[in-house]
Amino acid sequence: MRLAQLDINHVRNLVGAHLECCPGINCLYGENAAGKTAVLEAIHLLARARSFRTPRIGDVIQHGRTSLTVVAQLVDDNGRHIITGLDKSVSSTQIRFNGARITRRSEQAQNLPLLIITPDSQRILAGTPRERRHWLDWAMFHMEPDYIGSWQNYYQALRHRNILLRKGGKDEQFNPWEKAMANAAERIIVLRRGYISRLQEGLQQCADGLFKGVKIAINSAGDGKETYLNCLRTQRDNDIRLGHTQSGPHREDITFYTNGHEAGKTLSRGEGKLFVILLMLVQAYEYQTKKREYPLILIDDLSVELDGKTREVVFALLSALNMQIFITTTTPEIRKVKNTAYRRFHVKQGKVTKMVK
Ligand SMILES: Nc1ncnc2c1ncn2[C@@H]1O[C@H](COP(=O)(O)OP(=O)(O)OP(=O)(O)O)[C@@H](O)[C@H]1O
Ligand SMILES: [Mg+2]
């Protein structure tokens, strides 16, 4: 899916912004506070009906206005033209896709898949295990159709077990919930491991010459259903003392390594940013391979923390991807990107204009 045209109204400082996008790399260049990130925010809103910067839509709607709109003309991978639009106020959200009203955000997320990289994305390396699980779950929900069912079953059984732990349930009350947890956990673990190992393989290829010894490890709750079930049973007394379940997919964590060291603890800011960009690009590639559909890629503040040489590397990787990409930058770089459509837009005081090369 690619954006051919985009119209944005009343998102932050953008009023009547119109972009004729190219199918390759679209570079939004401008000074601080021009409205560059607001353009990415508008695309994200259209795809996910929420901002990536704040959960409060009132902060995103232009001051003095009560609603925002984002409308796009899309071209799908078969060349079909589709119109999609979002109209959002504090109390209501209306989404239309190809003439139909969309009532579930997840449906629109499937219609318009995207991946976003912001300076905060580095938290995947150095943030909390919860953030990494969230990142992994989000990817899995979109990649593996049966993941969500197992995930819901697991969390439902976990909640029941935790209630029993706190109120002092009997063995026979624990047994069915622990079995349900073990059944669901087995599937979750298999799917997560499969995905992580495919990401690792892709990352090793993509990082060749940039990072040595790339590895992604997932600390699993146990191998197989029986092992995990035994683990739950042996830990039950301890869990009763603590009042919650200590191990399982809800406690898994992912660790990224380069050259035998934890990436989150050793990489410099620039290296970390490059690593995360590579990881996201591999995710995008993985999505395309599995779903036979190209996701959009949004990169906010590409130039920040990357030196000129690393930016060249990133541009070469982006152009090899053959996906539609939106980049914001404060650096007025002019590039010839081989075999890839490339368009620059100048963003100034909430206005977006196409730049002549
Ligand atoms: N609800 C709002 N209504 C109007 N303007 C807003 C609103 N929220 C933020 N702004 C302003 O919109 C402008 C554009 O913000 P944006 O974050 O898009 O800038 P940017 O071009 O990405 O800048 P930077 O390079 O600093 O990241 C800023 O001046 C900001 O203060
Ligand atoms: Mg910005």
Side-chain angles (χ1 to χ4, degrees):
M1 193 69 78
R2 299 186 196 236
L3 299 185
Q5 292 186 23
L6 183 66
D7 287 281
I8 309 167
N9 267 299
H10 310 307
V11 174
R12 307 276 184 190
N13 66 339
L14 302 173
V15 193
H18 174 77
L19 287 84
E20 308 243 331
C21 316
C22 82
I25 301 176
N26 295 272
C27 194
L28 298 147
Y29 152 71
E31 291 175 353
N32 291 140
K36 305 178 298 296
T37 303
V39 174
L40 300 192
E41 210 172 9
I43 300 172
H44 194 276
L45 278 161
L46 183 60
R48 306 254 176 99
R50 62 176 184 81
S51 163
F52 59 87
R53 292 209 274 189
T54 169
R56 290 179 303 274
I57 196 65
D59 294 345
V60 185
I61 298 170
Q62 192 158 79
H63 299 145
R65 292 281 167 169
T66 53
S67 66
L68 58 81
T69 57
V70 186
V71 178
Q73 193 190 101
L74 311 173
V75 183
D76 75 8
D77 297 343
N78 302 313
R80 212 165 44 121
H81 285 248
I82 295 167
I83 305 279
T84 184
L86 167 91
D87 201 320
K88 197 163 171 60
S89 68
V90 172
S91 55
S92 84
T93 302
Q94 291 193 34
I95 307 170
R96 294 195 82 79
F97 186 86
N98 203 18
R101 185 138 182 235
I102 305 289
T103 48
R104 288 168 53 228
R105 280 189 351 185
S106 56
E107 197 182 336
Q108 182 70 348
Q110 301 274 0
N111 288 336
L112 196 52
L114 65 75
L115 269 160
I116 178 149
I117 307 171
T118 71
D120 279 350
S121 301
Q122 285 212 44
R123 295 193 60 81
I124 289 175
L125 302 182
T128 62
R130 192 194 181 90
E131 288 170 287
R132 279 186 286 276
R133 276 195 299 274
H134 183 74
W135 161 76
L136 183 58
D137 282 336
W138 176 257
M140 303 294 301
F141 290 151
H142 290 88
M143 299 282 295
E144 302 285 353
D146 64 332
Y147 185 79
I148 190 145
S150 303
W151 191 90
Q152 283 166 338
N153 291 345
Y154 177 79
Y155 274 86
Q156 188 197 32
L158 172 68
R159 268 196 307 278
H160 281 281
R161 184 179 191 266
N162 283 342
I163 292 168
L164 290 174
L165 290 172
R166 283 177 213 129
K167 75 171 195 195
K170 300 198 171 59
D171 282 356
E172 59 271 25
Q173 289 177 296
F174 276 99
N175 289 338
W177 295 118
E178 289 179 352
K179 272 194 190 137
M181 283 173 74
N183 280 333
E186 187 180 43
R187 189 74 194 129
I188 293 172
I189 292 167
V190 165
L191 290 172
R192 281 182 180 175
R193 281 190 181 182
Y195 183 61
I196 288 293
S197 105
R198 291 195 301 279
L199 282 190
Q200 173 174 278
E201 209 176 295
L203 199 55
Q204 279 165 347
Q205 284 176 20
C206 176
D208 188 34
L210 301 168
F211 293 101
K212 281 194 196 133
V214 171
K215 202 175 149 231
I216 315 177
I218 179 156
N219 73 327
S220 281
D223 268 317
K225 190 161 45 180
E226 289 308 317
T227 323
Y228 179 51
L229 196 53
N230 285 336
C231 162
L232 283 175
R233 285 177 181 152
T234 37
Q235 284 183 355
R236 199 186 286 161
D237 286 342
N238 231 336
D239 288 351
I240 288 171
R241 260 194 303 282
L242 292 167
H244 61 259
T245 305
Q246 293 171 76
S247 59
H250 66 292
R251 284 298 185 89
E252 279 189 336
D253 193 9
I254 304 118
T255 315
F256 300 91
Y257 293 94
T258 58
N259 222 0
H261 302 288
E262 273 187 45
K265 292 185 179 153
T266 50
L267 295 186
S268 74
R269 290 290 301 175
E271 284 176 321
K273 178 153 183 169
L274 178 62
F275 190 91
V276 169
I277 290 175
L278 296 181
L279 178 66
M280 299 284 179
L281 298 188
V282 172
Q283 273 192 282
Y285 184 74
E286 176 67 18
Y287 186 92
Q288 197 274 329
T289 310
K290 176 113 190 170
K291 309 282 267 191
R292 300 264 150 234
E293 204 181 333
Y294 288 101
L296 301 180
I297 298 180
L298 314 181
I299 309 180
D300 197 20
D301 288 329
L302 176 73
S303 326
V304 173
E305 286 165 339
L306 297 185
D307 60 28
K309 203 171 120 214
T310 312
R311 288 206 294 275
E312 294 293 337
V313 168
V314 172
F315 258 86
L317 286 165
L318 293 178
S319 43
L321 260 190
N322 190 27
M323 294 186 193
Q324 192 179 32
I325 302 165
F326 291 83
I327 288 165
T328 69
T329 177
T330 50
T331 322
E333 291 158 295
I334 303 173
R335 285 165 193 284
K336 291 261 178 282
V337 189
K338 251 197 208 161
N339 304 325
T340 304
Y342 178 60
R343 191 165 292 173
R344 293 196 309 150
F345 296 90
H346 189 209
V347 188
K348 193 174 176 186
Q349 293 175 350
K351 299 259 175 294
V352 185
T353 46
K354 188 174 144 189
M355 288 170 81
V356 184
K357 281 188 189 148

